[in-house]
Amino acid sequence: MSTVSLTLIGKPGCHLCDDAREVVHAVIDQLPDGSPEVTVEERDILQDAELHEKYVEEIPVVLVDGRVHTYWRVDPARLRTALLEAE
């Protein structure tokens, strides 16, 4: 079984980040048996100057296997497809 890395970039007190977190975990919880294992890491732009510089206007940002998947709002169907198709 393969593993997919998902990174959620945001900051504390960001309501869109909270919404994105809920969508991410709901999608992962509903993946069918045999789907890739998904590891989730959260990164805080307030703790990382490079991330802050790069993404301050776009949070939350979701990376799938290190590539930007989406920012601002997470579409559950699109994320599900990306996770199932990730290699």
Side-chain angles (χ1 to χ4, degrees):
M1 181 183 302
S2 61
T3 300
V4 178
S5 169
L6 185 147
T7 306
L8 177 59
I9 301 170
K11 69 178 183 178
C14 166
H15 73 280
L16 289 177
C17 301
D18 294 339
D19 293 347
R21 183 180 304 105
E22 288 180 23
V23 171
V24 163
H25 288 289
V27 167
I28 291 169
D29 289 345
Q30 296 172 4
L31 289 175
D33 290 341
S35 298
E37 179 184 341
V38 181
T39 61
V40 178
E41 175 186 17
E42 290 198 37
R43 304 283 306 271
D44 179 351
I45 65 166
L46 300 180
Q47 302 298 317
D48 186 316
E50 184 178 333
L51 289 178
H52 187 274
E53 171 94 14
K54 190 170 186 178
Y55 296 119
V56 68
E57 299 295 328
E58 297 175 335
I59 61 168
V61 179
V62 175
L63 308 178
V64 174
D65 285 337
R67 293 181 298 277
V68 173
H69 168 73
T70 195
Y71 54 91
W72 295 328
R73 299 219 182 261
V74 181
D75 178 280
R78 185 168 171 264
L79 179 59
R80 182 180 193 277
T81 298
L83 295 175
L84 291 174
E85 292 178 354
E87 303 215 7

